[in-house]
Amino acid sequence: MNRASSENRIIPSVLALPEKLSKFLEKLLRFRLPSRRRFAMRDVLMALGSLLILLLSGLIPALRSLRMPACLAAAILSCAPLVLQALPQIRGKRMPAEETVLILSAMLAFLLKEYTAAVLIPALGVLLFQTEAYSLLHCEAAPDALNESDPALRRQVEDADPEDSKRRRLLASGLFGAFCLLVLVAFITLILALIHWREPQKWLHTALVFLALSPMTALCFASLLTHFGALFSAAKSGIQLRDGTVPERFAECRLFAFGKTGTVTDGRFIISEICPTGGIGEDDLLRIAAIAECRSDHPIARALRAAACLEEGVIPNGFQNSEEIPGRGVSTLFSKHQIYVGNAALLEDHEIWYQVPAKSGSAIHIAVDGTYRGHIMIADSLRENAFEALEELRAQGVQNLVMLTGDVRSAARRLASSLNFDMVKPELSPEEKGSAVRYLRSVHGEKARIACVGDGFHDAAMFEASDISLSMSPSGGEKTDIRICSEDILGIPSAYRFSRESERILQIDAITVILVKLLLVILGCASILPLSAIVPIDFLVSAAAVIFALTSLTMEKRKSAFR
Ligand code: ADP
Ligand code: MG
């Protein structure tokens, strides 16, 4: 595909993003929210203009006598953007819910001679809508920051569907319920006001408090932003998350199980010693091992081929077939000779006697036609920053770090103690790694959430038993929830931080907004606080929630805000 046509395909998918976002919001509250709102300077200016009129009519003594007509003009000016937003929705046969509520509130406030509230309610409503629209603009522009990087990462962001997160769906339904409830209570109060016409002022005031505090979209936007924030920050750091449920599930993990080879070590093995037996030469032993491994993708196989100068992808003459035995090694038929290359367990499985290596470390044993031919000592080095990555996880609240490896006890033990692992279980077959994770769950309780990190080779059983699977391999390997494409092990604590932080931001937002609204309803109904104070407080808290959630889009630039 040429460059121009590939660009053509990316551009429409970027343009589709706002459509996807508004579709999500539409689904979110089951009816058409003002999600089609676009950021419009015109609306901001109209709202600010109406606030200015309100201010001047209150401050300048000469204008005091004109307060009522001035406020009427200001209220009409600030309601105009709401009407302009509502019209296309009505034409599209949708109900403009929040706009209608705000316009009704302004009219009711005017009727009650609450002139300040009559201007504040629509004007601050418009400003809040515009803050939300501004935050959406940020989401739309964000994939451009990923232009250069992996197309898969870009797709992750573009295809993000906040609907797939259970907690967000629950929050959205709850907010929709709260909105309906407040509007319903307001209408019941209005009806009561009509029946008990003796004290209409009091009932109408109560209805107005409920109506003015009913809009809930700010929290929906905050939820949407934190969801995208986790995905963007991850993608910008070269981390691919499978779907929107990953951050909320990952944030709950307090126990991490790591593989060794290719996970905390770089998987680039070097050969430290070749120990042939029975008169065979060192080069011959290495060549036999490399030939037997010619089909394997395991890091050990790649190292043996490189050491024997056997080109990648070349199948030597005489090769018949090869079978990979996960966690053990390979069994290969070459020129009618049966070759086993792998760990001690592989030879034990076939009842072949082998020599115990004189030095501690990882040995790859070689047997031909049932006869032991020697072993090759191999070692790989720790990944850069492995220690820092594990310490960072601990600092963020991870309680248990466990190493599950197929490698021998001595090598595993040495590595685990140098990295301060809490537990280590060596010499595990891939299936046993799965059982080990299930065992950990039985020890730490069914509610324990376990994250498993591997290089993607023979990790299927371990990943299957985990709550969240992470792979350190940029090429994929098994399908995992989180893929660290950059191969930088610090990507693991970063992904964890983005998940926890985005969840925390949403939690703080939700708790603050809901509590403040509740408090304002009580203070407003009891006439302790006037509407001219309630409306600005509600606006400030809601706008702050949206802006705070917006910070989740740049989490990768900051150090953790929560510890
Ligand atoms: P880890 O648990 O450290 O990721 P693996 O499960 O991938 O390790 O492998 C466990 C052990 O099995 C290795 O240390 C090695 O001894 C042996 N092994 C696995 N695959 C191969 C192979 N292709 N060639 C030689 N040995 C292998
Ligand atoms: Mg492995």
Side-chain angles (χ1 to χ4, degrees):
M1 199 193 323
N2 65 28
R3 202 160 170 263
S5 71
S6 76
E7 265 172 15
N8 278 345
R9 280 189 31 192
I10 287 174
I11 292 165
S13 68
V14 176
L15 291 178
L17 191 65
E19 183 70 14
K20 272 183 204 157
L21 293 181
S22 53
K23 263 197 198 142
F24 159 67
L25 285 169
E26 192 178 356
K27 270 196 268 171
L28 204 65
L29 291 191
R30 316 274 188 275
F31 65 99
R32 194 74 192 183
L33 267 177
S35 55
R36 281 256 166 218
R37 282 177 211 142
R38 310 297 306 163
F39 181 74
M41 213 48 206
R42 177 201 64 196
D43 292 6
V44 176
L45 291 177
M46 282 164 109
L48 290 178
S50 64
L51 288 177
L52 189 70
I53 296 175
L54 177 70
L55 200 70
L56 292 180
S57 67
L59 284 184
I60 301 173
L63 289 179
R64 289 246 172 91
S65 56
L66 291 174
R67 188 160 166 77
M68 203 274 268
C71 284
L72 182 62
I76 290 171
L77 183 66
S78 56
C79 278
L82 297 172
V83 175
L84 289 176
Q85 273 167 9
L87 283 177
Q89 296 179 39
I90 294 167
R91 254 184 255 128
K93 297 200 175 70
R94 296 182 300 259
M95 188 177 80
E98 290 200 346
E99 285 90 343
T100 316
V101 164
L102 291 181
I103 295 171
L104 282 179
S105 308
M107 283 161 57
L108 191 57
F110 214 85
L111 204 77
L112 286 170
K113 297 200 175 107
E114 301 247 20
Y115 299 133
T116 312
V119 182
L120 283 179
I121 293 172
L124 296 182
V126 168
L127 287 182
L128 185 62
F129 288 176
Q130 289 309 314
T131 314
E132 290 161 3
Y134 175 76
S135 70
L136 266 190
L137 272 186
H138 264 258
C139 282
E140 288 161 20
D144 292 338
L146 302 169
N147 258 347
E148 312 285 304
S149 50
D150 192 335
L153 291 176
R154 200 188 158 101
R155 222 174 306 124
Q156 154 192 335
V157 173
E158 286 172 1
D159 294 346
D161 177 10
E163 264 279 274
D164 58 17
S165 155
K166 226 198 288 168
R167 196 171 298 163
R168 285 185 169 77
R169 247 196 335 246
L170 209 71
L171 178 74
S173 313
L175 290 176
F176 174 59
F179 172 75
C180 292
L181 189 74
L182 286 179
V183 174
L184 192 73
V185 173
F187 275 102
I188 292 174
T189 320
L190 273 179
I191 293 168
L192 286 179
L194 291 177
I195 300 171
H196 296 272
W197 197 245
R198 257 189 241 147
E199 270 188 323
Q201 200 80 5
K202 189 172 155 250
W203 291 101
L204 289 176
H205 176 85
T206 310
L208 184 53
V209 170
F210 282 116
L211 271 191
L213 291 174
S214 67
M216 298 282 170
T217 39
L219 253 190
C220 283
F221 274 84
S223 152
L224 180 76
L225 291 175
T226 52
H227 172 90
F228 277 91
L231 295 181
F232 284 149
S233 299
K236 274 187 269 178
S237 312
I239 302 161
Q240 192 181 357
L241 310 181
R242 181 149 70 176
D243 55 48
T245 66
V246 172
E248 69 177 40
R249 286 188 293 133
F250 193 32
E252 287 176 351
C253 293
R254 293 288 176 279
L255 198 158
F256 277 58
F258 281 81
K260 183 188 81 74
T261 315
T263 308
V264 288
T265 67
D266 60 10
R268 280 180 218 116
F269 286 93
I270 46 164
I271 286 157
S272 53
E273 206 178 353
I274 303 175
C275 309
T277 55
I280 177 177
E282 285 187 7
D283 288 348
D284 290 338
L285 185 67
L286 182 61
R287 181 129 189 103
I288 293 171
I291 287 173
E293 296 269 21
C294 69
R295 280 277 177 84
S296 171
D297 253 347
H298 198 277
I300 295 176
R302 262 184 271 137
L304 290 172
R305 286 198 296 267
C309 300
L310 191 73
E311 254 181 71
E312 288 292 311
V314 172
I315 304 294
N317 285 337
F319 175 87
Q320 289 172 282
N321 65 51
S322 181
E323 188 198 346
E324 181 116 22
I325 305 152
R328 296 277 200 268
V330 291
S331 156
T332 301
L333 205 58
F334 180 80
S335 294
K336 296 189 185 151
H337 295 292
Q338 177 64 54
I339 312 173
Y340 291 114
V341 179
N343 51 19
L346 177 70
L347 299 204
E348 282 164 14
D349 288 348
H350 296 90
E351 292 175 356
I352 300 169
W353 287 49
Y354 63 93
Q355 187 188 341
V356 178
K359 288 184 187 153
S360 67
S362 311
I364 298 301
H365 299 275
I366 296 117
V368 181
D369 294 331
T371 311
Y372 187 61
R373 289 292 176 185
H375 57 264
I376 298 173
M377 298 302 292
I378 54 165
D380 59 347
S381 38
L382 264 188
R383 261 182 204 276
E384 203 186 333
N385 298 326
F387 187 80
E388 287 77 5
L390 296 180
E391 286 305 297
E392 179 69 31
L393 283 176
R394 275 194 202 286
Q396 288 184 44
V398 173
Q399 287 153 356
N400 276 291
L401 293 170
V402 181
M403 184 195 272
L404 305 175
T405 175
D407 207 351
V408 289
R409 194 171 302 266
S410 60
R413 216 183 257 168
R414 194 161 4 99
L415 206 87
S417 73
S418 72
L419 288 174
N420 285 339
F421 271 99
D422 297 305
M423 269 197 277
V424 57
K425 192 101 176 79
E427 294 174 17
L428 293 174
S429 70
E431 269 60 45
E432 286 167 343
K433 286 185 193 171
S435 319
V437 175
R438 281 187 287 277
Y439 169 76
L440 286 172
R441 198 187 306 286
S442 71
V443 170
H444 290 269
E446 281 307 308
K447 285 210 173 124
R449 296 278 166 267
I450 305 177
C452 287
V453 194
D455 62 349
F457 282 105
H458 314 320
D459 287 329
M462 177 171 84
F463 286 165
E464 170 92 32
S466 71
D467 294 289
I468 282 284
S469 53
L470 289 96
S471 113
M472 286 296 300
S473 122
S475 55
E478 274 118 15
K479 207 162 165 49
T480 50
D481 294 316
I482 302 174
R483 195 161 63 86
I484 313 289
C485 309
S486 63
E487 272 211 86
D488 180 359
I489 193 165
L490 286 174
I492 299 171
S494 296
Y496 191 58
R497 178 163 75 83
F498 301 153
S499 305
R500 291 200 66 186
E501 222 165 285
S502 61
E503 290 299 304
R504 288 282 281 280
I505 290 174
L506 181 56
Q507 257 171 29
I508 292 174
D509 268 0
I511 292 172
T512 319
V513 171
I514 291 169
L515 280 185
V516 169
K517 273 200 193 273
L518 214 68
L519 194 70
L520 290 179
V521 166
I522 296 169
L523 294 179
C525 290
S527 293
I528 297 171
L529 265 188
L531 268 168
S532 53
I534 288 175
V535 176
I537 294 174
D538 181 48
F539 162 75
L540 285 178
V541 171
S542 300
V546 174
I547 292 166
F548 185 40
L550 201 57
T551 62
S552 69
L553 288 154
T554 49
M555 282 187 291
E556 88 293 347
K557 289 189 190 146
R558 285 178 280 119
K559 280 245 156 253
S560 177
F562 312 103
R563 269 286 155 85

